[in-house]
Amino acid sequence: MSSLRSIPTLDDVARAAGVSTATVSRCLNSPDRVIEKTRIKVMAAVEQLGYTPNFGARAMAAKRTFTIGAIIPTMENAIFARGLQAFQEALHARGYTLLVSSSGYKADVEAEQIRALVARGADGLLLIGRDRDPSIYEFLQHRSVATLIAWTFEKGSTQPSIGFDNHAAMKALATAVIGKGHQHIGLISGIIEGNDRAAGRYAGICDALRAHGLDATAMPIIETPYEVENGAAAFADMMQRTPRPTVVMCGNDVLAVGAMKRARDMGLRVPEDVSITGFDDIELARIVTPELTTMHVPHRDMGQRAGEELVNMLEGTSAGSVVELECALKLRASLGPPPA
Amino acid sequence: MSSLRSIPTLDDVARAAGVSTATVSRCLNSPDRVIEKTRIKVMAAVEQLGYTPNFGARAMAAKRTFTIGAIIPTMENAIFARGLQAFQEALHARGYTLLVSSSGYKADVEAEQIRALVARGADGLLLIGRDRDPSIYEFLQHRSVATLIAWTFEKGSTQPSIGFDNHAAMKALATAVIGKGHQHIGLISGIIEGNDRAAGRYAGICDALRAHGLDATAMPIIETPYEVENGAAAFADMMQRTPRPTVVMCGNDVLAVGAMKRARDMGLRVPEDVSITGFDDIELARIVTPELTTMHVPHRDMGQRAGEELVNMLEGTSAGSVVELECALKLRASLGPPPA
């Protein structure tokens, strides 16, 4: 906060309430340990003066600011929304406030936001995926900011994280697709560079193809940002390829929903003329007609456990663990056998 | 930030770069006014020391923290996502970082988040809707935090705001619905208490009914939080009412999409058996089959202009204006005449 503003201090509150600063501090940090009458008196003074527990008071008293930052790639399209909501609820239950930034999938913007959140006093950070400049991890370590990575799991990593194996999950989905008889898969992927989740999903499909004696290098792939319109445009492009894919696998549900919309506009029936699959199982997947075959990511569970783990790290009851969550294949009507 | 951590200061950076603190400050706040060689030297020192412009330095030098807070009711369902993304882009273009909290539509949580954002040094705040305890506005004024209200417009209000007339917009949509021949409207609304947007939309429908000589008090209404599943459940309930509504108007697209999903599950054809309308025109509205009749809210435009206005207020080039944006009726296939 700018020190040029007139800011009421802990002393001011103590004086107004006629108690010691230690009592004010206790009211703010451990209200259970203060009798109600005193607490009411103190909180009335807090309210009246417009006092905000801050770096000079609550933070110093508790060595914490009770603020957690999260930086997500995008606020649009609800990809991260459900997990983040659960994360916030878990933090709230433990007395922490969440501040969120979105980077637009841009590494430099994310780096700037990490610095801003640290400057604003974040005790801990939730970051999505592990691909970023090592200097960022050094900076966070140097500043003692507890950091948890989510949405990704890497075997052997020691970085505290909670996520799922994008590679294995997409391999399982591709195996189901191939099991329906498809040999010509087209992939509409998110931008792979700088996105370990997108890279893992692509590699998972290639693995499944190879395991079935199919040529992964022949698979047509279009990389495009995760937007409905981009999925639609990429689908139209994919339908021009020779041989025409009998199934279009998409890097997430947002792209898949765009592909379905375009298929409908082009007069193609899903799955009779072409099958379409997604990844994430966000709400969209069951809103479209037909419902979307996809890989269910446990967003709520991941967000909630991330919140609890990060608070435990901050409070010293966890050194930061590496947690893998299971995804679940959702076979729905958008996937059928290839057309005869 | 906790002062218990070892924090590099402006002095440390100046010493490491071999320049004055004024030069460091200039590099951070007006880089255009510093020659490139000096700027590179200073930024290298900033990087090396892990220095973060903060309350003790950049803020004091510029009297600002270059951080803006926004509190939205929910991060789920993409209702606020598009507008917020545009808001963030506008701030970023002016050199400001956005921190977001979501209140879950809870007034006490929002009040807590406002205090947290102010404590973390937010120069300005974007808030959704105008309904909140007057003490919050007093607190913000007392702390000189520039505050802009969005998503709502109230004639005669002097509070800086950018939004649209929820009442007039929903009245226009209801007038179109009645124009199709519907006399039995059922309303699935968001929770009205504490939500001026929901209240305005409800009142708009009542106005349209009265203007056509219909009894607004007879309209069945179900209030429920804005979630797809809630829209579905409320729709099923609405179909039990006598007389059965020939059209279900929904407080937003999220509820409407839930209603459409349930109609499909119940074997009801939209619009042949029952018409359904939404509000917002988020991406969902054109993803569902049939596409949704709704009121288009200019989310991107609103978010972008809110960002510019708030920065102008902070930088003293605007005293804070009251801006009304136009909505646009989108007549699509989910609205037809009542069944014969």
Side-chain angles (χ1 to χ4, degrees):
Chain A
M1 145 192 356
S2 163
S3 53
L4 297 174
R5 290 184 201 135
S6 159
I7 296 172
T9 65
L10 197 69
D11 275 327
D12 296 335
V13 176
R15 209 171 303 121
V19 301
S20 70
T21 53
T23 300
V24 177
S25 176
R26 211 174 302 122
C27 279
L28 295 169
N29 295 303
S30 315
D32 300 347
R33 293 170 48 210
V34 183
I35 60 166
E36 197 185 351
K37 197 177 138 194
T38 306
R39 201 166 63 227
I40 289 170
K41 200 163 59 176
V42 169
M43 295 318 285
V46 163
E47 195 67 34
Q48 187 204 329
L49 293 170
Y51 172 77
T52 314
N54 64 17
F55 321 105
R58 189 173 175 215
M60 278 188 69
K63 307 185 193 177
R64 285 198 288 278
T65 64
F66 296 94
T67 305
I68 303 276
I71 300 169
I72 56 173
T74 178
M75 294 193 190
E76 291 201 57
N77 291 322
I79 306 172
F80 298 99
R82 185 142 289 190
L84 203 67
Q85 188 72 31
F87 180 69
Q88 163 153 348
E89 286 162 15
L91 294 182
H92 188 72
R94 301 283 292 268
Y96 288 74
T97 298
L98 175 64
L99 297 178
V100 180
S101 274
S102 90
S103 65
Y105 287 96
K106 294 193 185 89
D108 58 332
V109 174
E110 192 201 46
E112 193 180 286
Q113 291 171 333
I114 288 172
R115 286 175 186 281
L117 279 162
V118 172
R120 298 281 86 76
D123 290 326
L125 283 186
L126 182 79
L127 301 175
I128 307 298
R130 65 176 180 275
D131 273 3
R132 54 182 60 79
D133 197 284
S135 70
I136 292 175
Y137 292 112
E138 286 159 22
F139 167 75
L140 291 170
Q141 191 166 17
H142 182 69
R143 296 295 287 269
S144 306
V145 178
T147 304
L148 184 67
I149 303 297
W151 258 261
T152 199
F153 168 81
E154 195 193 13
K155 215 173 249 175
S157 167
T158 56
Q159 168 81 47
S161 62
I162 180 161
F164 51 96
D165 186 334
N166 284 277
H167 182 125
M170 194 58 126
K171 184 177 174 183
L173 178 53
T175 301
V177 165
I178 296 165
K180 286 275 183 190
H182 292 278
Q183 304 215 346
H184 299 293
I185 296 175
L187 171 62
I188 303 177
S189 169
I191 304 294
I192 289 175
E193 186 177 343
N195 184 333
D196 49 76
R197 287 90 62 212
R201 292 174 201 176
Y202 169 59
I205 298 178
C206 292
D207 257 21
L209 287 168
R210 279 190 294 266
H212 290 81
L214 297 166
D215 181 8
T217 62
M219 176 173 70
I221 169 168
I222 297 172
E223 289 181 58
T224 187
Y226 295 120
E227 298 278 350
V228 172
E229 314 91 80
N230 295 342
F235 178 84
D237 180 345
M238 203 57 95
M239 290 298 99
Q240 303 303 317
R241 305 296 176 99
T242 309
R244 194 172 94 173
T246 57
V247 58
V248 175
M249 296 188 70
C250 299
N252 74 5
D253 292 349
V254 172
L255 292 173
V257 161
M260 289 183 69
K261 185 167 148 58
R262 183 57 58 91
R264 190 174 70 203
D265 293 347
M266 291 169 73
L268 291 171
R269 296 163 304 157
V270 177
E272 293 81 356
D273 299 322
V274 60
S275 288
I276 294 174
T277 67
F279 194 103
D280 271 337
D281 197 25
I282 57 176
E283 214 151 30
L284 272 181
R286 291 196 294 159
I287 285 172
V288 288
T289 316
E291 295 191 353
L292 188 63
T293 286
T294 189
M295 182 57 68
H296 178 80
V297 173
H299 286 112
R300 274 201 192 282
D301 189 33
M302 182 163 59
Q304 194 207 323
R305 292 173 65 168
E308 284 164 8
E309 175 68 7
L310 199 45
V311 172
N312 289 341
M313 287 166 67
L314 280 170
E315 298 188 345
T317 58
S318 166
S321 46
V322 177
V323 177
E324 181 178 9
L325 301 174
E326 290 298 317
C327 294
L329 185 59
K330 297 289 175 186
L331 291 170
R332 302 198 186 106
S334 74
L335 174 64
Chain B
M1 148 188 0
S2 164
S3 52
L4 297 174
R5 289 183 202 138
S6 158
I7 296 173
T9 65
L10 198 69
D11 275 325
D12 297 333
V13 176
R15 211 171 302 121
V19 301
S20 70
T21 52
T23 301
V24 177
S25 175
R26 211 174 300 122
C27 280
L28 295 169
N29 294 303
S30 315
D32 300 347
R33 292 170 50 210
V34 184
I35 62 167
E36 196 186 352
K37 200 177 134 194
T38 305
R39 200 167 63 228
I40 290 170
K41 202 162 57 176
V42 169
M43 294 320 284
V46 163
E47 194 67 34
Q48 189 204 326
L49 293 170
Y51 172 76
T52 315
N54 64 17
F55 321 106
R58 191 175 174 210
M60 278 188 67
K63 306 184 195 176
R64 284 199 288 280
T65 64
F66 296 95
T67 305
I68 304 276
I71 299 169
I72 56 174
T74 178
M75 296 195 189
E76 291 201 58
N77 292 323
I79 307 172
F80 299 99
R82 185 140 289 189
L84 203 66
Q85 188 72 29
F87 180 68
Q88 164 153 348
E89 286 163 16
L91 295 182
H92 188 73
R94 301 281 292 268
Y96 287 75
T97 299
L98 174 64
L99 296 179
V100 180
S101 275
S102 90
S103 65
Y105 287 96
K106 295 193 184 87
D108 57 333
V109 175
E110 192 201 46
E112 193 180 285
Q113 291 170 333
I114 288 172
R115 285 174 186 280
L117 279 162
V118 172
R120 297 281 85 76
D123 290 326
L125 283 186
L126 181 79
L127 301 175
I128 308 299
R130 65 175 181 276
D131 272 1
R132 54 181 60 78
D133 197 282
S135 70
I136 292 176
Y137 292 112
E138 285 159 22
F139 168 74
L140 291 170
Q141 192 167 17
H142 182 69
R143 297 294 288 267
S144 307
V145 177
T147 303
L148 184 67
I149 303 296
W151 258 261
T152 198
F153 168 81
E154 195 192 13
K155 216 173 247 173
S157 166
T158 57
Q159 167 82 45
S161 63
I162 179 160
F164 50 95
D165 186 334
N166 284 278
H167 183 125
M170 195 58 126
K171 184 176 176 183
L173 177 54
T175 300
V177 165
I178 295 165
K180 286 274 183 190
H182 292 279
Q183 304 214 347
H184 298 292
I185 297 176
L187 170 62
I188 304 177
S189 168
I191 305 293
I192 289 174
E193 185 176 346
N195 183 333
D196 49 75
R197 289 89 64 212
R201 293 173 200 175
Y202 169 60
I205 298 178
C206 293
D207 257 21
L209 287 168
R210 279 189 292 265
H212 290 80
L214 297 166
D215 180 8
T217 63
M219 174 173 70
I221 170 169
I222 297 172
E223 289 181 58
T224 186
Y226 295 120
E227 298 279 349
V228 172
E229 314 90 82
N230 296 342
F235 178 83
D237 179 346
M238 203 57 96
M239 290 299 99
Q240 304 303 319
R241 306 296 177 101
T242 309
R244 193 172 96 172
T246 57
V247 57
V248 175
M249 296 187 72
C250 299
N252 75 5
D253 292 349
V254 171
L255 292 174
V257 161
M260 288 184 69
K261 186 166 148 54
R262 182 57 56 92
R264 191 174 69 203
D265 294 346
M266 292 170 72
L268 291 172
R269 295 164 304 156
V270 177
E272 293 82 355
D273 299 321
V274 59
S275 287
I276 294 173
T277 67
F279 195 103
D280 269 338
D281 197 25
I282 57 176
E283 215 152 28
L284 273 181
R286 291 196 296 158
I287 285 172
V288 288
T289 316
E291 296 191 352
L292 187 64
T293 286
T294 188
M295 183 56 69
H296 178 80
V297 173
H299 286 112
R300 275 200 190 283
D301 188 33
M302 182 164 59
Q304 194 206 323
R305 291 172 66 170
E308 285 165 9
E309 175 69 6
L310 197 45
V311 171
N312 289 341
M313 286 165 68
L314 280 171
E315 299 188 346
T317 59
S318 166
S321 46
V322 177
V323 177
E324 180 178 9
L325 301 174
E326 289 299 317
C327 294
L329 185 59
K330 298 288 175 186
L331 291 169
R332 303 200 186 106
S334 74
L335 173 64

